[in-house]
Amino acid sequence: MMFYRLLSIVGRQRASPGWQNWSSARNSASAAEAHSMALPTQAQVVICGGGIMGTSVAYHLSKMGWKDIVLLEQGRLAAGSTRFCAGILSTARHLTIEQKMADYSNKLYHQLEQETGIQTGYTRTGSIFLAQTQDRLISLKRINSRLNVIGIPSEIISPKKVAELHHLLNVHDLVGAMHVPEDAVVSSADVALALASAASQNGVQIYDRTSVLHVMVKKGQVTGVETDKGQIECQYFVNCAGQWAYELGLSNEEPVSIPLHACEHFYLLTRPLETPLQSSTPTIVDADGRIYIRNWQGGILSGGFEKNPKPIFTEGKNQLEIQNLQEDWDHFEPLLSSLLRRMPELETLEIMKLVNCPETFTPDMRCIMGESPAVQGYFVLAGMNSAGLSFGGGAGKYLAEWMVHGYPSENVWELDLKRFGALQSSRTFLRHRVMEVMPLMYDLKVPRWDFQTGRQLRTSPLYDRLDAQGARWMEKHGFERPKYFVPPDKDLLALEQSKTFYKPDWFDIVESEVKCCKEAVCVIDMSSFTKFEITSTGDQALEVLQYLFSNDLDVPVGHIVHTGMLNEGGGYENDCSIARLNKRSFFMISPTDQQVHCWAWLKKHMPKDSNLLLEDVTWKYTALNLIGPRAVDVLSELSYAPMTPDHFPSLFCKEMSVGYANGIRVMSMTHTGEPGFMLYIPIEYALHVYNEVMSVGQKYGIRNAGYYALRSLRIEKFFAFWGQDINNLTTPLECGRESRVKLEKGMDFIGRDALLLQKQNGVYKRLTMFILDDHDTDLDLWPWWGEPIYRNGQYVGKTTSSAYSYSLERHVCLGFVHNFSEDTGEEQVVTADFINRGEYEIDIAGYRFQAKAKLYPVASLFTQKRRKDDMELSDLHGK
């Protein structure tokens, strides 16, 4: 085979400094002494896992003042995935929270050697991310814009500049690159040992060769751990067990679901080049070639993420310490070929070893952190998707803050364990999903891409019916939701392959659905929404919910209230609508991905000995959103009941018959600002009601629509969605929802004190609507989310969501505006005057477009203007 002809392989093993040299570091820490002592019988915190995650959590907890901490490692410290980590620290990430974690890690590791005296091999090399295609370059430009505004130096460079920075690279096929000069390489095992040393000096007790058998739980609370050397009573348990985290979670008396799965990960090590590479040689990421390359002792360390990964250990637990798995040169050959194309001079270089080690991946390529929804005091930090070194410092800091303060200093919802449910923990699902996830690490991810594995897991009863009518699907929390419906005359294959940062091929389809919503009537299947019922035998349901929710729920039976559950800081833990079904029963509708989080929050804050019944009825009801001015005609005809606003006012709920079906909960709301109704239908009636609605609606021009149309409608009406626009660090006063808070009614609720203080002092950010002015929809790059916002040339925030408004014939973005002092950089109060007096630009992949800022929806103004223009044109034609 080619690599045998080109390269001779040396079989003997050789490790980098620190990979096997544990003794000096462990002597500086007190791990050896602790190992010889008996386990303590109690502690405040027990951490399982002595890799970079466990030691980082221990380090940061001890820095925050918690001292009664025990760290247990089943093998030797840093002998798991941490030992075989490639040692590349990269800050270039798609998610802002990941960029911040990596940036913090970089700063922490930089000073760790000075703090502990342990050499970590930290070398600032910089990274160069190559682009072989224009789409890849656009993706890098988007990342570059976000890095710059959070203070991470980076720049887009030419192929010529790439060759100057790394003379061994073949650059003939490149269109550009991104250079991040402060990225680094480091020995991950030595970082873990340094963190352990510092934690030990701060009072943390570390015991290796001690296995956690299971976590003891009583009444939903951690009470201790059972190890192979005895029990330890504790209040908190932290699962940092890496690839073993999944099984450790399931071993508890009350199982904790931690969805991750291991795959084999390969990289090669070479002998030094004839002229050894300098230690400062930049790390190369050639994502289009699926490889990374870094200097290693004057030679090369190179691995990648192949298209056909090899999942392992699906059947169960493996060896205590990770040994180097079997070499597989046939499997590695495509990555080796890619390496030789990028660096042709390596053909004669001698390879020392092909390393094969397991890495854990999660179902959505994001790491897992946070408290278990099932067991209080059980925290998790695992599933790093081959980025454990980059995230280790920041992730450990955020989890420690979470434990000490009750919440981290940044919004980490995208990484929260509660974004998953038990449905994502099937071994078969995880095995199939990680086979897709691992190649996606380097695949080009354009906006609105969808996973292809693990699909059709949760479906509406209408799935087959809608699929036959051309529905194209996306997945949310395992639930299939329609994006749009392809008309019979459209080229389906072309649409499925249409992936771009520019105007997408579904533009005209969504336009016709939006037009139908505004002029006739559309049906959107929204069954995925989370639905809870809260009932009590007396008045306790109202009393408890009044304390948990920010808006007044003491409304007449049949009324709907838009509200949310706030935390002590006044931020939204949940955004929902609640219908009062009767005096003792409430129906709660929340976002799809809040099912686990919302349930956990309610259970945590509801009285333990109450007569309240909380029931998850998500699966019991199919939800149809009937949007448009003719929705009232369709429902009137099907129910033989008057549905006009006089008889059925806005935000009203009533159980009705629709067709032959009884007990349909009809609500006069659409989540879009458009007229219409939500129908919550017992699932056995779903197909009948849908068929009746479509049959009767034919005369009114009815058609199916999907979530892309919904997105366009809600954004142009300035409707913010939880998880996209607002989160647990967003208060009602910061997003224009003062009217949804009962501040003036003298009733206590969680977050009230924080809101009163904020009302007195002013807000430091404000959700704002932006309408792009000089943007060509057909030719320019589109905004999607996360684009930097500039006011008078100064960075003030990022967009949270965006969509094309077919009414305004403009792109509309939502985003938060901050007021940073030009002198100190500190945040100042944001007033309506501050918003209105600025001139704004939205940065899309390095190109800035002018935008108008609004604090209220403007669809009606633009509609009136267009009608006036149309009339003037008509007059001209008439003359």
Side-chain angles (χ1 to χ4, degrees), residues 794-856:
Q794 182 184 8
Y795 169 72
V796 291
K798 285 198 285 286
T799 63
T800 53
S801 60
S802 62
Y804 183 80
S805 167
Y806 296 94
S807 301
L808 307 181
E809 297 179 353
R810 298 282 193 282
H811 259 97
V812 177
C813 303
L814 305 185
F816 281 95
V817 170
H818 300 250
N819 181 3
F820 300 111
S821 166
E822 292 187 20
D823 297 327
T824 64
E826 294 182 0
E827 291 198 60
Q828 302 175 127
V829 171
V830 176
T831 62
D833 186 59
F834 177 83
I835 299 285
N836 293 329
R837 293 181 63 178
E839 293 188 1
Y840 293 88
E841 294 171 304
I842 307 294
D843 181 325
I844 306 176
Y847 303 98
R848 294 191 188 181
F849 296 91
Q850 293 179 1
K852 285 190 170 66
K854 302 291 180 183
L855 290 170
Y856 51 87

Side-chain angles (χ1 to χ4, degrees), residues 368-509:
I368 297 173
M369 70 163 62
E371 188 174 16
S372 161
V375 181
Q376 289 189 34
Y378 191 116
F379 285 82
V380 178
L381 185 58
M384 291 296 132
N385 301 282
S386 202
L389 178 66
S390 295
F391 295 159
K397 171 178 177 280
Y398 290 144
L399 193 77
E401 290 174 344
W402 206 328
M403 296 172 68
V404 173
H405 304 302
Y407 49 86
S409 55
E410 295 283 348
N411 170 42
V412 296
W413 167 247
E414 293 166 307
L415 315 177
D416 194 330
L417 171 63
K418 292 184 283 293
R419 72 190 188 271
F420 294 120
L423 57 95
Q424 282 102 349
S425 281
S426 151
R427 288 185 189 269
T428 305
F429 166 79
L430 289 171
R431 182 179 176 88
H432 291 175
R433 175 55 67 84
V434 298
M435 290 176 72
E436 179 183 12
V437 161
M438 192 169 167
L440 278 169
M441 299 297 294
Y442 277 177
D443 280 351
L444 181 67
K445 289 175 281 293
V446 297
R448 312 269 178 99
W449 60 272
D450 299 293
F451 288 107
Q452 301 303 309
T453 53
R455 298 296 296 269
Q456 299 182 34
L457 190 57
R458 303 172 73 197
T459 61
S460 156
L462 305 178
Y463 178 86
D464 289 339
R465 186 91 164 78
L466 300 178
D467 196 58
Q469 296 178 76
R472 296 282 70 87
W473 301 94
M474 62 191 215
E475 172 255 333
K476 186 83 165 182
H477 201 58
F479 215 115
E480 297 293 330
R481 313 201 302 182
K483 296 187 285 191
Y484 50 80
F485 287 77
V486 180
D489 58 337
K490 280 282 182 180
D491 183 346
L492 182 62
L493 185 63
L495 269 173
E496 289 298 292
Q497 294 176 343
S498 168
K499 296 179 180 180
T500 176
F501 291 99
Y502 290 89
K503 179 181 177 180
D505 286 353
W506 45 255
F507 181 87
D508 294 338
I509 295 174

Side-chain angles (χ1 to χ4, degrees), residues 248-304:
L248 180 58
L250 296 183
S251 70
N252 306 329
E253 295 172 5
E254 293 188 30
V256 173
S257 173
I258 306 169
L260 50 79
H261 196 291
C263 281
E264 295 182 31
H265 179 61
F266 298 88
Y267 61 81
L268 60 78
L269 302 169
T270 77
R271 287 196 178 279
L273 278 71
E274 187 174 336
T275 303
L277 288 179
Q278 296 181 359
S279 60
S280 60
T281 302
T283 295
I284 302 300
V285 177
D286 183 1
D288 294 314
R290 315 198 71 82
I291 57 170
Y292 57 80
I293 310 163
R294 59 154 286 195
N295 165 64
W296 186 76
Q297 296 188 349
I300 290 293
L301 182 157
S302 180

